[in-house]
Tab-separated table of all heavy atoms in Angstrom:
chain	number	residue	atom	x	y	z
A	1	MET	N	13.891	-1.781	5.674
A	1	MET	CA	13.689	-2.085	4.249
A	1	MET	C	14.106	-0.803	3.547
A	1	MET	O	13.798	0.263	3.860
A	1	MET	CB	12.304	-2.369	3.986
A	1	MET	CG	11.777	-3.752	4.465
A	1	MET	SD	10.121	-4.051	3.960
A	1	MET	CE	9.256	-3.373	5.370
A	2	THR	N	14.715	-1.107	2.354
A	2	THR	CA	15.084	0.015	1.418
A	2	THR	C	14.731	-0.494	0.045
A	2	THR	O	14.779	-1.684	-0.295
A	2	THR	CB	16.545	0.377	1.524
A	2	THR	OG1	17.377	-0.715	1.175
A	2	THR	CG2	16.950	1.002	2.831
A	3	GLY	N	14.422	0.440	-0.778
A	3	GLY	CA	14.205	0.202	-2.174
A	3	GLY	C	15.494	0.336	-2.962
A	3	GLY	O	16.578	0.557	-2.411
A	4	GLN	N	15.415	0.279	-4.249
A	4	GLN	CA	16.580	0.341	-5.150
A	4	GLN	C	17.265	1.703	-5.085
A	4	GLN	O	18.491	1.856	-5.166
A	4	GLN	CB	16.200	0.056	-6.556
A	4	GLN	CG	17.321	-0.072	-7.536
A	4	GLN	CD	16.893	-0.593	-8.897
A	4	GLN	OE1	15.677	-0.810	-9.098
A	4	GLN	NE2	17.779	-0.818	-9.758
A	5	GLU	N	16.491	2.792	-4.955
A	5	GLU	CA	17.080	4.082	-4.995
A	5	GLU	C	16.587	4.936	-3.829
A	5	GLU	O	15.946	5.962	-3.972
A	5	GLU	CB	16.615	4.780	-6.259
A	5	GLU	CG	17.083	4.054	-7.584
A	5	GLU	CD	16.568	4.634	-8.804
A	5	GLU	OE1	16.069	5.764	-8.748
A	5	GLU	OE2	16.694	4.013	-9.845
A	6	PRO	N	16.913	4.561	-2.593
A	6	PRO	CA	16.527	5.355	-1.462
A	6	PRO	C	17.242	6.727	-1.390
A	6	PRO	O	18.376	6.832	-1.962
A	6	PRO	CB	16.927	4.499	-0.227
A	6	PRO	CG	18.009	3.747	-0.705
A	6	PRO	CD	17.795	3.415	-2.166
A	7	LEU	N	16.647	7.677	-0.823
A	7	LEU	CA	17.301	8.947	-0.650
A	7	LEU	C	18.483	8.760	0.261
A	7	LEU	O	18.492	7.876	1.098
A	7	LEU	CB	16.312	9.997	-0.063
A	7	LEU	CG	15.051	10.260	-0.901
A	7	LEU	CD1	14.088	11.147	-0.124
A	7	LEU	CD2	15.426	10.886	-2.231
A	8	GLU	N	19.469	9.635	0.165
A	8	GLU	CA	20.757	9.421	0.914
A	8	GLU	C	20.530	9.315	2.410
A	8	GLU	O	21.062	8.451	3.037
A	8	GLU	CB	21.698	10.512	0.598
A	8	GLU	CG	23.118	10.322	1.215
A	8	GLU	CD	23.740	8.971	0.846
A	8	GLU	OE1	23.480	8.437	-0.222
A	8	GLU	OE2	24.448	8.408	1.708
A	9	PRO	N	19.719	10.261	3.051
A	9	PRO	CA	19.504	10.128	4.490
A	9	PRO	C	18.885	8.699	4.866
A	9	PRO	O	19.227	8.108	5.842
A	9	PRO	CB	18.591	11.184	4.854
A	9	PRO	CG	18.818	12.163	3.762
A	9	PRO	CD	19.071	11.423	2.576
A	10	THR	N	17.901	8.283	3.980
A	10	THR	CA	17.302	6.992	4.237
A	10	THR	C	18.297	5.830	4.070
A	10	THR	O	18.266	4.940	4.924
A	10	THR	CB	16.171	6.784	3.221
A	10	THR	OG1	15.189	7.856	3.373
A	10	THR	CG2	15.433	5.504	3.490
A	11	ARG	N	19.177	5.952	3.128
A	11	ARG	CA	20.202	4.893	2.909
A	11	ARG	C	21.111	4.842	4.128
A	11	ARG	O	21.438	3.714	4.611
A	11	ARG	CB	21.001	5.212	1.621
A	11	ARG	CG	22.006	4.056	1.392
A	11	ARG	CD	22.933	4.444	0.179
A	11	ARG	NE	22.215	4.700	-0.990
A	11	ARG	CZ	21.734	3.741	-1.879
A	11	ARG	NH1	22.010	2.473	-1.614
A	11	ARG	NH2	21.111	4.086	-2.936
A	12	ARG	N	21.538	5.998	4.643
A	12	ARG	CA	22.456	6.063	5.826
A	12	ARG	C	21.708	5.466	7.014
A	12	ARG	O	22.384	4.710	7.798
A	12	ARG	CB	22.941	7.460	6.041
A	12	ARG	CG	23.998	7.906	5.103
A	12	ARG	CD	24.677	9.237	5.541
A	12	ARG	NE	23.656	10.205	5.852
A	12	ARG	CZ	23.603	11.349	5.210
A	12	ARG	NH1	24.401	11.708	4.235
A	12	ARG	NH2	22.646	12.222	5.494
A	13	ILE	N	20.498	5.737	7.250
A	13	ILE	CA	19.818	5.329	8.440
A	13	ILE	C	19.622	3.826	8.349
A	13	ILE	O	19.853	2.972	9.248
A	13	ILE	CB	18.512	6.054	8.557
A	13	ILE	CG1	18.663	7.462	8.959
A	13	ILE	CG2	17.581	5.266	9.620
A	13	ILE	CD1	17.406	8.321	8.868
A	14	ALA	N	19.225	3.320	7.138
A	14	ALA	CA	18.957	1.825	6.888
A	14	ALA	C	20.242	1.101	7.102
A	14	ALA	O	20.297	0.025	7.652
A	14	ALA	CB	18.339	1.643	5.499
A	15	THR	N	21.358	1.637	6.540
A	15	THR	CA	22.695	0.949	6.675
A	15	THR	C	23.084	0.851	8.151
A	15	THR	O	23.552	-0.169	8.634
A	15	THR	CB	23.734	1.694	5.864
A	15	THR	OG1	23.360	1.658	4.478
A	15	THR	CG2	25.115	1.068	6.005
A	16	ARG	N	22.892	1.937	8.867
A	16	ARG	CA	23.294	1.914	10.266
A	16	ARG	C	22.451	0.992	11.138
A	16	ARG	O	22.949	0.185	11.932
A	16	ARG	CB	23.154	3.406	10.876
A	16	ARG	CG	23.535	3.474	12.287
A	16	ARG	CD	25.045	3.302	12.483
A	16	ARG	NE	25.360	3.457	13.916
A	16	ARG	CZ	26.158	2.651	14.550
A	16	ARG	NH1	26.727	1.657	13.981
A	16	ARG	NH2	26.414	2.888	15.849
A	17	ILE	N	21.132	0.935	10.855
A	17	ILE	CA	20.256	0.000	11.559
A	17	ILE	C	20.677	-1.454	11.218
A	17	ILE	O	20.697	-2.261	12.070
A	17	ILE	CB	18.826	0.280	11.273
A	17	ILE	CG1	18.425	1.621	11.923
A	17	ILE	CG2	17.912	-0.860	11.757
A	17	ILE	CD1	17.018	2.068	11.455
A	18	SER	N	20.880	-1.672	9.890
A	18	SER	CA	21.275	-2.987	9.534
A	18	SER	C	22.603	-3.458	10.115
A	18	SER	O	22.770	-4.639	10.441
A	18	SER	CB	21.366	-3.006	8.016
A	18	SER	OG	21.749	-4.238	7.523
A	19	ASP	N	23.566	-2.523	10.247
A	19	ASP	CA	24.852	-2.840	10.894
A	19	ASP	C	24.574	-3.228	12.354
A	19	ASP	O	25.226	-4.127	12.909
A	19	ASP	CB	25.711	-1.613	10.871
A	19	ASP	CG	26.334	-1.343	9.505
A	19	ASP	OD1	26.161	-2.186	8.587
A	19	ASP	OD2	26.841	-0.265	9.333
A	20	LEU	N	23.624	-2.628	13.075
A	20	LEU	CA	23.391	-2.837	14.462
A	20	LEU	C	22.591	-4.111	14.614
A	20	LEU	O	22.712	-4.839	15.585
A	20	LEU	CB	22.713	-1.661	15.136
A	20	LEU	CG	23.533	-0.377	15.199
A	20	LEU	CD1	22.622	0.844	15.583
A	20	LEU	CD2	24.682	-0.515	16.143
A	21	MET	N	21.614	-4.337	13.750
A	21	MET	CA	20.784	-5.486	13.831
A	21	MET	C	20.592	-6.124	12.451
A	21	MET	O	19.572	-5.974	11.802
A	21	MET	CB	19.362	-5.008	14.297
A	21	MET	CG	19.432	-4.426	15.715
A	21	MET	SD	17.824	-3.855	16.377
A	21	MET	CE	17.263	-2.576	15.282
A	22	PRO	N	21.627	-6.813	11.966
A	22	PRO	CA	21.552	-7.358	10.611
A	22	PRO	C	20.452	-8.365	10.299
A	22	PRO	O	20.061	-8.465	9.188
A	22	PRO	CB	22.940	-8.113	10.525
A	22	PRO	CG	23.432	-8.275	11.879
A	22	PRO	CD	22.811	-7.212	12.720
A	23	VAL	N	19.902	-8.907	11.299
A	23	VAL	CA	18.765	-9.883	11.014
A	23	VAL	C	17.511	-9.213	10.479
A	23	VAL	O	16.666	-9.855	9.864
A	23	VAL	CB	18.462	-10.716	12.268
A	23	VAL	CG1	17.733	-9.876	13.302
A	23	VAL	CG2	17.675	-11.964	11.951
A	24	ILE	N	17.405	-7.882	10.670
A	24	ILE	CA	16.212	-7.183	10.245
A	24	ILE	C	16.267	-6.574	8.818
A	24	ILE	O	15.356	-6.097	8.321
A	24	ILE	CB	15.752	-6.198	11.205
A	24	ILE	CG1	16.734	-5.030	11.328
A	24	ILE	CG2	15.455	-6.795	12.598
A	24	ILE	CD1	16.160	-3.850	12.088
A	25	GLY	N	17.446	-6.559	8.229
A	25	GLY	CA	17.565	-5.909	6.902
A	25	GLY	C	16.908	-6.677	5.814
A	25	GLY	O	16.810	-7.901	5.790
A	26	HIS	N	16.330	-5.919	4.832
A	26	HIS	CA	15.738	-6.542	3.701
A	26	HIS	C	15.718	-5.511	2.620
A	26	HIS	O	15.318	-4.398	2.702
A	26	HIS	CB	14.237	-6.874	4.012
A	26	HIS	CG	13.693	-7.908	3.038
A	26	HIS	ND1	13.366	-7.517	1.744
A	26	HIS	CD2	13.454	-9.174	3.184
A	26	HIS	CE1	12.894	-8.585	1.094
A	26	HIS	NE2	12.963	-9.626	2.000
A	27	ASP	N	16.334	-5.955	1.446
A	27	ASP	CA	16.414	-5.109	0.281
A	27	ASP	C	15.315	-5.384	-0.699
A	27	ASP	O	15.043	-6.577	-1.018
A	27	ASP	CB	17.786	-5.291	-0.404
A	27	ASP	CG	18.076	-4.390	-1.557
A	27	ASP	OD1	17.544	-3.211	-1.474
A	27	ASP	OD2	18.655	-4.786	-2.497
A	28	LEU	N	14.653	-4.405	-1.184
A	28	LEU	CA	13.565	-4.558	-2.185
A	28	LEU	C	14.086	-3.853	-3.454
A	28	LEU	O	13.712	-2.718	-3.696
A	28	LEU	CB	12.274	-3.988	-1.642
A	28	LEU	CG	11.761	-4.553	-0.381
A	28	LEU	CD1	10.559	-3.835	0.152
A	28	LEU	CD2	11.384	-6.042	-0.570
A	29	PRO	N	14.934	-4.530	-4.262
A	29	PRO	CA	15.509	-3.842	-5.411
A	29	PRO	C	14.552	-3.275	-6.443
A	29	PRO	O	14.931	-2.365	-7.162
A	29	PRO	CB	16.443	-4.927	-6.070
A	29	PRO	CG	15.940	-6.188	-5.508
A	29	PRO	CD	15.229	-5.856	-4.164
A	30	SER	N	13.439	-3.764	-6.568
A	30	SER	CA	12.515	-3.288	-7.610
A	30	SER	C	11.730	-2.017	-7.222
A	30	SER	O	10.991	-1.504	-7.976
A	30	SER	CB	11.502	-4.357	-7.992
A	30	SER	OG	10.686	-4.741	-6.835
A	31	LEU	N	11.904	-1.574	-5.969
A	31	LEU	CA	11.191	-0.412	-5.412
A	31	LEU	C	12.026	0.750	-5.095
A	31	LEU	O	13.180	0.586	-4.842
A	31	LEU	CB	10.407	-0.830	-4.160
A	31	LEU	CG	9.466	-1.984	-4.217
A	31	LEU	CD1	8.787	-2.238	-2.910
A	31	LEU	CD2	8.449	-1.861	-5.329
A	32	ASN	N	11.435	1.949	-5.189
A	32	ASN	CA	12.232	3.139	-4.774
A	32	ASN	C	11.804	3.549	-3.343
A	32	ASN	O	11.115	2.729	-2.680
A	32	ASN	CB	12.105	4.295	-5.825
A	32	ASN	CG	10.643	4.762	-5.889
A	32	ASN	OD1	9.879	4.562	-5.046
A	32	ASN	ND2	10.329	5.435	-7.037
A	33	HIS	N	12.152	4.758	-2.912
A	33	HIS	CA	11.840	5.164	-1.636
A	33	HIS	C	10.349	5.359	-1.322
A	33	HIS	O	9.919	5.453	-0.149
A	33	HIS	CB	12.624	6.424	-1.218
A	33	HIS	CG	12.134	7.649	-1.953
A	33	HIS	ND1	12.469	7.963	-3.255
A	33	HIS	CD2	11.275	8.657	-1.545
A	33	HIS	CE1	11.835	9.029	-3.620
A	33	HIS	NE2	11.135	9.507	-2.617
A	34	MET	N	9.484	5.273	-2.357
A	34	MET	CA	8.028	5.430	-2.184
A	34	MET	C	7.398	4.050	-2.115
A	34	MET	O	6.144	3.942	-2.229
A	34	MET	CB	7.483	6.290	-3.312
A	34	MET	CG	7.963	7.711	-3.316
A	34	MET	SD	7.397	8.577	-1.800
A	34	MET	CE	5.661	8.783	-2.249
A	35	GLY	N	8.147	2.962	-1.961
A	35	GLY	CA	7.649	1.635	-2.013
A	35	GLY	C	6.483	1.414	-1.149
A	35	GLY	O	5.417	0.825	-1.530
A	36	PRO	N	6.569	1.836	0.187
A	36	PRO	CA	5.407	1.572	1.049
A	36	PRO	C	4.124	2.276	0.581
A	36	PRO	O	3.046	1.688	0.922
A	36	PRO	CB	5.882	2.173	2.419
A	36	PRO	CG	7.353	2.114	2.350
A	36	PRO	CD	7.720	2.347	0.883
A	37	LEU	N	4.254	3.311	-0.047
A	37	LEU	CA	3.010	4.041	-0.488
A	37	LEU	C	2.550	3.556	-1.836
A	37	LEU	O	1.331	3.370	-2.091
A	37	LEU	CB	3.248	5.535	-0.596
A	37	LEU	CG	3.535	6.233	0.692
A	37	LEU	CD1	3.860	7.690	0.475
A	37	LEU	CD2	2.252	6.150	1.616
A	38	LEU	N	3.418	3.342	-2.780
A	38	LEU	CA	3.079	2.912	-4.134
A	38	LEU	C	2.907	1.420	-4.336
A	38	LEU	O	2.229	1.010	-5.270
A	38	LEU	CB	4.163	3.491	-5.138
A	38	LEU	CG	4.270	4.952	-5.137
A	38	LEU	CD1	5.365	5.473	-6.101
A	38	LEU	CD2	2.957	5.638	-5.501
A	39	HIS	N	3.566	0.626	-3.452
A	39	HIS	CA	3.519	-0.829	-3.653
A	39	HIS	C	3.333	-1.553	-2.277
A	39	HIS	O	4.139	-2.409	-1.891
A	39	HIS	CB	4.775	-1.315	-4.317
A	39	HIS	CG	5.094	-0.689	-5.582
A	39	HIS	ND1	4.464	-1.127	-6.761
A	39	HIS	CD2	5.979	0.308	-5.911
A	39	HIS	CE1	4.872	-0.392	-7.789
A	39	HIS	NE2	5.782	0.457	-7.305
A	40	PRO	N	2.299	-1.240	-1.549
A	40	PRO	CA	2.099	-1.791	-0.239
A	40	PRO	C	1.968	-3.315	-0.294
A	40	PRO	O	2.314	-4.061	0.664
A	40	PRO	CB	0.786	-1.124	0.290
A	40	PRO	CG	0.138	-0.612	-0.945
A	40	PRO	CD	1.181	-0.342	-1.905
A	41	GLU	N	1.499	-3.887	-1.388
A	41	GLU	CA	1.274	-5.265	-1.489
A	41	GLU	C	2.625	-6.060	-1.432
A	41	GLU	O	2.731	-7.139	-1.001
A	41	GLU	CB	0.545	-5.691	-2.784
A	41	GLU	CG	1.291	-5.466	-4.077
A	41	GLU	CD	1.434	-4.074	-4.539
A	41	GLU	OE1	0.874	-3.097	-3.952
A	41	GLU	OE2	2.112	-3.831	-5.652
A	42	VAL	N	3.752	-5.384	-1.886
A	42	VAL	CA	5.082	-5.982	-1.855
A	42	VAL	C	5.622	-5.757	-0.419
A	42	VAL	O	6.131	-6.649	0.166
A	42	VAL	CB	5.999	-5.379	-2.936
A	42	VAL	CG1	7.410	-5.853	-2.776
A	42	VAL	CG2	5.421	-5.613	-4.349
A	43	VAL	N	5.605	-4.503	0.040
A	43	VAL	CA	6.215	-4.159	1.312
A	43	VAL	C	5.538	-4.818	2.481
A	43	VAL	O	6.168	-5.319	3.421
A	43	VAL	CB	6.232	-2.701	1.442
A	43	VAL	CG1	6.728	-2.261	2.846
A	43	VAL	CG2	6.989	-1.976	0.400
A	44	ASP	N	4.208	-4.892	2.465
A	44	ASP	CA	3.508	-5.490	3.581
A	44	ASP	C	3.787	-6.919	3.837
A	44	ASP	O	3.719	-7.430	4.975
A	44	ASP	CB	1.968	-5.271	3.421
A	44	ASP	CG	1.491	-3.898	3.508
A	44	ASP	OD1	2.296	-3.048	3.911
A	44	ASP	OD2	0.357	-3.590	3.239
A	45	ARG	N	4.154	-7.700	2.821
A	45	ARG	CA	4.370	-9.151	3.077
A	45	ARG	C	5.789	-9.461	3.606
A	45	ARG	O	6.045	-10.536	3.997
A	45	ARG	CB	4.082	-9.973	1.823
A	45	ARG	CG	4.997	-9.792	0.675
A	45	ARG	CD	4.692	-10.661	-0.483
A	45	ARG	NE	5.503	-10.429	-1.639
A	45	ARG	CZ	5.144	-10.014	-2.738
A	45	ARG	NH1	3.855	-9.905	-3.022
A	45	ARG	NH2	5.923	-9.794	-3.727
A	46	VAL	N	6.726	-8.508	3.575
A	46	VAL	CA	8.070	-8.681	3.964
A	46	VAL	C	8.164	-9.081	5.480
A	46	VAL	O	8.729	-10.096	5.778
A	46	VAL	CB	8.997	-7.576	3.588
A	46	VAL	CG1	10.364	-7.708	4.226
A	46	VAL	CG2	9.086	-7.434	2.088
A	47	PRO	N	7.565	-8.321	6.355
A	47	PRO	CA	7.702	-8.636	7.800
A	47	PRO	C	6.749	-9.798	8.248
A	47	PRO	O	6.985	-10.249	9.406
A	47	PRO	CB	7.342	-7.305	8.469
A	47	PRO	CG	6.397	-6.600	7.527
A	47	PRO	CD	6.863	-7.011	6.173
A	48	LEU	N	5.873	-10.288	7.433
A	48	LEU	CA	4.955	-11.234	7.873
A	48	LEU	C	5.621	-12.614	8.427
A	48	LEU	O	5.219	-12.970	9.514
A	48	LEU	CB	3.937	-11.616	6.739
A	48	LEU	CG	2.715	-12.403	7.219
A	48	LEU	CD1	1.945	-11.755	8.269
A	48	LEU	CD2	1.842	-12.665	5.989
A	49	PRO	N	6.636	-13.099	7.712
A	49	PRO	CA	7.194	-14.369	8.370
A	49	PRO	C	7.822	-14.085	9.708
A	49	PRO	O	7.724	-14.938	10.669
A	49	PRO	CB	8.167	-14.778	7.319
A	49	PRO	CG	7.742	-14.113	6.064
A	49	PRO	CD	7.073	-12.899	6.400
A	50	PHE	N	8.476	-12.871	9.824
A	50	PHE	CA	9.111	-12.567	11.122
A	50	PHE	C	8.024	-12.441	12.214
A	50	PHE	O	8.142	-12.934	13.284
A	50	PHE	CB	9.843	-11.208	11.001
A	50	PHE	CG	10.317	-10.737	12.273
A	50	PHE	CD1	11.455	-11.236	12.912
A	50	PHE	CD2	9.719	-9.704	12.890
A	50	PHE	CE1	11.904	-10.731	14.128
A	50	PHE	CE2	10.118	-9.171	14.146
A	50	PHE	CZ	11.235	-9.720	14.724
A	51	LEU	N	6.924	-11.727	11.866
A	51	LEU	CA	5.861	-11.572	12.884
A	51	LEU	C	5.143	-12.844	13.229
A	51	LEU	O	4.860	-13.127	14.401
A	51	LEU	CB	4.808	-10.539	12.364
A	51	LEU	CG	5.358	-9.198	12.105
A	51	LEU	CD1	4.274	-8.297	11.423
A	51	LEU	CD2	5.790	-8.483	13.429
A	52	VAL	N	4.952	-13.713	12.290
A	52	VAL	CA	4.395	-15.016	12.571
A	52	VAL	C	5.319	-15.831	13.477
A	52	VAL	O	4.899	-16.491	14.408
A	52	VAL	CB	4.040	-15.801	11.300
A	52	VAL	CG1	3.658	-17.208	11.577
A	52	VAL	CG2	2.863	-15.017	10.619
A	53	ALA	N	6.564	-15.846	13.134
A	53	ALA	CA	7.577	-16.538	13.986
A	53	ALA	C	7.599	-16.068	15.413
A	53	ALA	O	7.683	-16.813	16.317
A	53	ALA	CB	8.929	-16.496	13.307
A	54	ARG	N	7.563	-14.745	15.538
A	54	ARG	CA	7.601	-14.175	16.880
A	54	ARG	C	6.348	-14.572	17.632
A	54	ARG	O	6.418	-14.884	18.816
A	54	ARG	CB	7.709	-12.619	16.772
A	54	ARG	CG	9.032	-12.128	16.242
A	54	ARG	CD	10.117	-12.284	17.169
A	54	ARG	NE	9.963	-11.538	18.365
A	54	ARG	CZ	10.546	-11.688	19.509
A	54	ARG	NH1	11.531	-12.610	19.600
A	54	ARG	NH2	10.294	-10.935	20.509
A	55	GLU	N	5.203	-14.475	16.949
A	55	GLU	CA	3.971	-14.817	17.720
A	55	GLU	C	3.997	-16.301	18.083
A	55	GLU	O	3.626	-16.644	19.173
A	55	GLU	CB	2.752	-14.606	16.770
A	55	GLU	CG	1.429	-14.935	17.346
A	55	GLU	CD	1.040	-14.091	18.556
A	55	GLU	OE1	1.551	-12.971	18.659
A	55	GLU	OE2	0.261	-14.580	19.364
A	56	ASP	N	4.433	-17.228	17.198
A	56	ASP	CA	4.563	-18.586	17.538
A	56	ASP	C	5.479	-18.850	18.688
A	56	ASP	O	5.321	-19.785	19.454
A	56	ASP	CB	5.036	-19.418	16.371
A	56	ASP	CG	3.946	-19.506	15.263
A	56	ASP	OD1	2.803	-19.210	15.513
A	56	ASP	OD2	4.301	-19.944	14.111
A	57	SER	N	6.567	-18.041	18.840
A	57	SER	CA	7.523	-18.290	19.890
A	57	SER	C	7.032	-17.832	21.217
A	57	SER	O	7.529	-18.233	22.303
A	57	SER	CB	8.869	-17.636	19.491
A	57	SER	OG	8.745	-16.191	19.666
A	58	HIS	N	5.946	-17.073	21.300
A	58	HIS	CA	5.387	-16.570	22.477
A	58	HIS	C	4.101	-17.233	22.855
A	58	HIS	O	3.542	-16.926	23.919
A	58	HIS	CB	5.137	-15.009	22.373
A	58	HIS	CG	6.429	-14.298	22.358
A	58	HIS	ND1	7.117	-14.000	21.188
A	58	HIS	CD2	7.144	-13.734	23.366
A	58	HIS	CE1	8.168	-13.305	21.481
A	58	HIS	NE2	8.266	-13.176	22.820
A	59	VAL	N	3.641	-18.246	22.102
A	59	VAL	CA	2.387	-18.859	22.424
A	59	VAL	C	2.700	-19.990	23.434
A	59	VAL	O	3.623	-20.784	23.268
A	59	VAL	CB	1.803	-19.539	21.101
A	59	VAL	CG1	0.552	-20.351	21.503
A	59	VAL	CG2	1.426	-18.405	20.136
A	60	ARG	N	1.957	-19.955	24.482
A	60	ARG	CA	2.054	-20.996	25.603
A	60	ARG	C	1.309	-22.158	25.101
A	60	ARG	O	0.122	-22.143	24.665
A	60	ARG	CB	1.542	-20.502	26.904
A	60	ARG	CG	2.436	-19.381	27.427
A	60	ARG	CD	1.885	-19.025	28.832
A	60	ARG	NE	2.645	-17.829	29.165
A	60	ARG	CZ	2.447	-17.281	30.425
A	60	ARG	NH1	1.607	-17.788	31.236
A	60	ARG	NH2	3.202	-16.246	30.790
A	61	ARG	N	1.944	-23.363	25.228
A	61	ARG	CA	1.293	-24.606	24.818
A	61	ARG	C	1.041	-25.476	26.011
A	61	ARG	O	1.626	-25.526	26.958
A	61	ARG	CB	2.090	-25.291	23.772
A	61	ARG	CG	2.246	-24.386	22.543
A	61	ARG	CD	2.980	-24.983	21.474
A	61	ARG	NE	3.339	-23.895	20.487
A	61	ARG	CZ	2.975	-23.809	19.287
A	61	ARG	NH1	2.299	-24.784	18.790
A	61	ARG	NH2	3.254	-22.882	18.547
């Protein structure tokens, strides 16, 4: 995840990871690089659908 104005090293790392695993990228344009600290209510809900789907796919029925 990146915000609207990530620091250059953060942007390079996020871009490289997204290139390698595009399914995990997520842009949060309204946040800057301090998003996880200043806006955890926004950041915390982004991975939730992925985690729920992963958990559901591993549940034995």
Side-chain angles (χ1 to χ4, degrees):
M1 286 184 269
T2 60
Q4 186 173 4
E5 300 174 13
L7 300 174
E8 186 56 32
T10 303
R11 181 185 306 276
R12 283 194 306 244
I13 292 167
T15 299
R16 182 67 177 134
I17 291 171
S18 182
D19 289 346
L20 295 171
M21 299 183 295
V23 71
I24 66 167
H26 198 286
D27 184 34
L28 300 172
S30 61
L31 305 181
N32 64 20
H33 69 280
M34 294 294 288
L37 295 174
L38 299 178
H39 303 283
E41 71 284 356
V42 175
V43 175
D44 289 351
R45 71 175 174 240
V46 171
L48 192 56
F50 171 78
L51 295 173
V52 168
R54 294 288 298 165
E55 180 64 25
D56 288 347
S57 71
H58 289 87
V59 173
R60 292 183 186 184
R61 298 183 195 239

